[in-house]
Amino acid sequence: MSQLEKLSDWEETARVQERINWLSRQIEHHRFRYYILSQPEITDEEFDRLFRELEDLEGRYPRLRNPDSPTQKVGVPPSTEFGQVRHRVPLLSLANAMSLEELDKWEERLVRALKNQDMEVGPLNYVCELKIDGLSIALTYRNGLFEQGATRGNGEVGEDVTLNLKTVVNLPYRLNPPGPAEKPLPEMLEVRGEIYMPKASFEALNKALIAEDEPPFANPRNAASGALRQKDPRQTAKRNLAFFAYGLYVTDKTIKEPLSHFESLNFLKKFGFPVEVHGRFAKNMQEVKDYCSEWEQKRHELPYQTDGVVIKADNRLLWQALGATAHSPRWAVAFKYPPEEAETLIEDVRFEVGRTGAVTPIAWLKPVKLAGTTVKRASLHNADQIKRLDVRIGDAVVVRKAGEIIPEVVSVNLKRRPAQSEVLHYPTKCPVCGAHLERSGNEVAFRCPNTAACPSQVRRRIEHWVSRSAMDVDGVGESLIEQLINAGLIKNASDLYRLTKEQLLTLERMGEKSAENVLAALHASKKRPLANLFFALGIRHVGQGVAELLAGRFDSIASLAKASKEEIASVEGVGPTIAQAVAEYFAEAPNQSLIKELEALGVTGEGGEEGVQPVSQELAGKTFVLSGTLNTMDRTSAEKAIKRRGGRATSSVTKKTNYLVVGDNPGSKLAKAQELGITVIDESGFRSMLGIAD
Ligand code: IVH
């Protein structure tokens, strides 16, 4: 070998080593985000790509593999919040197959491995199971009673989440004795399976978060993981988690374990475990592939989210023979469905006016099937996003569902752009009332300034008033509000409390009983706590969290209305921007008369105080400071979002601060944080930490 060749060889090695190190660091980082924070920054597909590249490089350059490479371990060390449980058998992950061809390759690897061990290889049978998008869990039963449950953790040691698991309604607490012969229950039994959040619970949780101006969870898995790792089991119970068993792992031999995995699933059912019903025995790889194709679309009809198919060799003797790598067993593989995106046409773009006058562009799409539902509308977020994407009416665009709820436009397919398309201009006038739109300071949103009379703002304000986290008026929804406005019966929230049964009966589809229910619900809402009332007023920057802070200091609407800007700003956690907004609100004549009317009608917020309950604990023990202006959320909702995830938001940077979140024009806090060596994250990093996709 010439000197030159040696040099280039050396350079190549150095380059590969550097790449391996970089990939390893990335994978560790993203595992931490996924397993501990439940807030991935990248999609599963992107993660898989990194992992595969590392595996590939290590395969080609075995000498360069680091002894602590992430390919040699699973997950991340368990959090110290919970007790630690050492798994009897490592709780591994699965290798992925991204296409049907890769399933053939997996089968070839199986056959080769078996032949290498001089094992007779007859036709291989498989079991196909839908891959539930949740988190794996190991359950121990002693003498038929549920004793302990643990998360995966690093595969060797997991977190003890027994108490939280006891709130999962379909997780059996006591097992059925197997068969009519009433054999004794095994002294010890370990069952593995998936904890997940059903789509309905996930959607309800996200809707509630959105209604509260809170960022929603990006997917049911994150929401489930957050729910399972709550410090208070009562919080877990509220999240309606569910369980599916998929493996009978360790027994004390008092029962004879079936050799067929498919049989062992039946065993689990007999014990009383919920097993996903669509699992199927497959005689050969063709049947496996048929199953994968069959479920690609059908899976969207299920009430739980699935992201692939897990294929397992049926014969458990082969499991022993094949063993596992440090990361995954060789006898199973996860076939992953491609991400849920679809291309369609933008037929129109409409600008909707929200409660605070913010104008949001919505793309009206040629209806397209996406993740099991037909999508007709997608958010374009704001004027900057329209500019960035340069979307135009008539464009072919890729849409994606963020968190299964709000589809969004991801990109434009320029190749399909019609010749005569026109640049989309943001309106200068309110599309509903015609007022000139305004954009203040460095805000992203354009707003309609016609606060009192813009019909769209009026409607949205009343919808906000009756919503669950505000005055919680049962039975008064969007369509009734629209009817009431159209009939000229209401113009603001106080009008609701003057409605009579006779007036309600003039509306379409309104019977005696319903009218009485509406009046009763309105009456009941008069007694909501003061914090709800402050929130219901819809004052800019006053989300639920700030409303609670204000209710802690001011004991009535009247005393808040009288307070000076300085007094309001002196409330811990309430800054000058909020104080300014509150003062402005009470300075406006229509608001003053609204408040007088509400008081006269007995809507006084005397129902008492209720604390904010965190919905999860991902950020427990973490203190955040915000600095500068965030583009996608106001400070209040950012602080609320932290609080709801169990973290703390404070106003000054100290040694105890864990993260400084910087927006535009951050000011002196940034220098202070750098001096103290505090982790600084930008808005996008913050959003992913909260589990919201960018
Ligand atoms: S078997 C040794 N079966 O998918 C690992 N896993 O991407 C055995 N999963 O960690 C896992 N449904 O959390 C198995 N029917 C199923 C599954 C399933 C979902 C999850 C599980 C696993 C992850 C791998």
Side-chain angles (χ1 to χ4, degrees), residues 101 175-176 196 243 323 397 459 550 622:
E101 293 71 54
L175 302 184
N176 303 327
Y196 66 95
F243 173 69
V397 290
R459 205 182 83 207
L550 293 172
K622 299 278 177 262

Side-chain angles (χ1 to χ4, degrees), residues 7-73:
L7 185 67
S8 73
D9 219 35
W10 179 84
E11 274 173 358
E12 161 89 352
T13 308
R15 209 172 40 75
V16 173
Q17 182 73 68
E18 199 177 306
R19 183 73 184 162
I20 285 184
N21 294 348
W22 182 84
L23 286 165
S24 306
R25 279 198 309 274
Q26 288 290 311
I27 291 168
E28 296 287 5
H29 168 78
H30 291 300
R31 274 186 174 165
F32 179 78
R33 309 262 350 159
Y34 187 87
Y35 290 112
I36 296 291
L37 298 180
S38 309
Q39 288 154 346
E41 285 169 353
I42 57 174
T43 61
D44 290 0
E45 293 76 37
E46 283 163 330
F47 180 84
D48 290 343
R49 228 176 289 136
L50 293 174
F51 197 84
R52 283 163 156 249
E53 187 186 340
L54 181 60
E55 269 183 334
D56 177 55
L57 285 178
E58 289 180 346
R60 287 195 284 138
Y61 302 85
R63 277 184 309 112
L64 301 185
R65 189 177 82 192
N66 294 314
D68 62 345
S69 165
T71 57
Q72 303 306 300
K73 52 191 185 214

Side-chain angles (χ1 to χ4, degrees), residues 92-94 129-132 136 152 194 246 310 312 329:
L92 300 176
S93 184
L94 288 175
E129 295 162 26
L130 290 173
K131 183 166 165 347
I132 313 295
S136 41
R152 171 152 62 202
E194 199 81 350
Y246 55 62
V310 179
K312 300 173 183 169

Side-chain angles (χ1 to χ4, degrees), residues 138-417:
L139 308 173
T140 304
Y141 285 81
R142 206 170 287 280
N143 298 318
L145 287 186
F146 173 48
E147 183 182 74
Q148 189 178 58
T151 62
R152 171 152 62 202
N154 62 5
E156 302 278 336
V157 178
E159 296 154 326
D160 183 345
V161 286
T162 311
L163 289 180
N164 289 350
L165 285 170
K166 285 186 177 168
T167 71
V168 177
V169 280
N170 72 342
L171 189 148
Y173 185 65
R174 185 186 295 276
L175 302 184
N176 303 327
E182 296 289 306
K183 283 187 212 145
L185 278 160
E187 201 186 304
M188 208 284 295
L189 185 73
E190 181 173 325
V191 168
R192 291 182 175 179
E194 199 81 350
I195 287 285
Y196 66 95
M197 185 176 284
K199 282 182 190 166
S201 314
F202 172 69
E203 281 167 20
L205 171 62
N206 265 359
K207 262 193 193 136
L209 288 171
I210 290 168
E212 290 160 18
D213 230 6
E214 285 297 315
F217 282 102
N219 55 50
R221 190 215 160 263
N222 290 354
S225 163
L228 190 63
R229 300 166 81 252
Q230 294 277 317
K231 275 200 208 124
D232 178 357
R234 282 171 302 185
Q235 295 303 323
T236 308
K238 285 190 196 157
R239 304 268 88 93
N240 299 321
L241 295 177
F243 173 69
F244 276 133
Y246 55 62
L248 177 62
Y249 274 78
V250 183
T251 74
D252 62 357
K253 312 294 170 210
T254 37
I255 55 164
K256 202 164 151 22
E257 250 185 282
L259 287 181
S260 148
H261 171 62
F262 195 68
E263 274 309 308
S264 77
L265 291 179
N266 289 332
F267 231 82
L268 287 170
K269 284 183 215 164
K270 280 193 207 136
F271 279 131
F273 287 101
V275 174
E276 208 284 328
V277 292
H278 302 101
R280 189 184 296 166
F281 181 83
K283 279 203 300 294
N284 51 41
M285 191 43 81
Q286 188 52 49
E287 288 192 6
V288 168
K289 290 180 185 171
D290 292 346
Y291 181 91
C292 293
S293 310
E294 179 183 331
W295 280 95
E296 172 147 21
Q297 283 309 316
K298 255 174 46 181
R299 69 199 170 104
H300 297 305
E301 291 154 27
L302 299 170
Y304 30 85
Q305 171 112 333
T306 55
D307 59 351
V309 175
V310 179
I311 299 122
K312 300 173 183 169
D314 182 55
N315 184 346
R316 290 170 54 121
L317 288 177
L318 299 187
W319 293 16
Q320 283 167 17
L322 289 163
T325 69
H327 172 259
S328 49
R330 294 194 183 84
W331 43 265
V333 72
F335 173 78
K336 289 277 196 78
Y337 289 115
E340 322 263 347
E341 289 183 346
E343 191 164 307
T344 186
L345 296 178
I346 295 199
E347 294 184 331
D348 195 8
V349 172
R350 297 188 198 159
F351 295 86
E352 296 192 353
V353 187
R355 146 170 83 83
T356 56
V359 177
T360 312
I362 306 286
W364 286 72
L365 309 167
K366 178 160 181 256
V368 60
K369 272 261 185 211
L370 181 61
T373 51
T374 304
V375 173
K376 294 191 211 100
R377 290 158 41 104
S379 173
L380 287 168
H381 301 301
N382 51 49
D384 295 345
Q385 172 86 343
I386 291 186
K387 253 204 208 132
R388 199 170 60 75
L389 295 172
D390 180 27
V391 263
R392 303 175 185 194
I393 295 171
D395 268 347
V397 290
V398 175
V399 284
R400 179 188 294 168
K401 271 198 172 177
E404 288 258 317
I405 295 195
I406 329 133
E408 59 183 357
V409 174
V410 185
S411 60
V412 176
N413 181 351
L414 291 174
K415 283 192 214 119
R416 290 181 60 196
R417 172 163 283 174

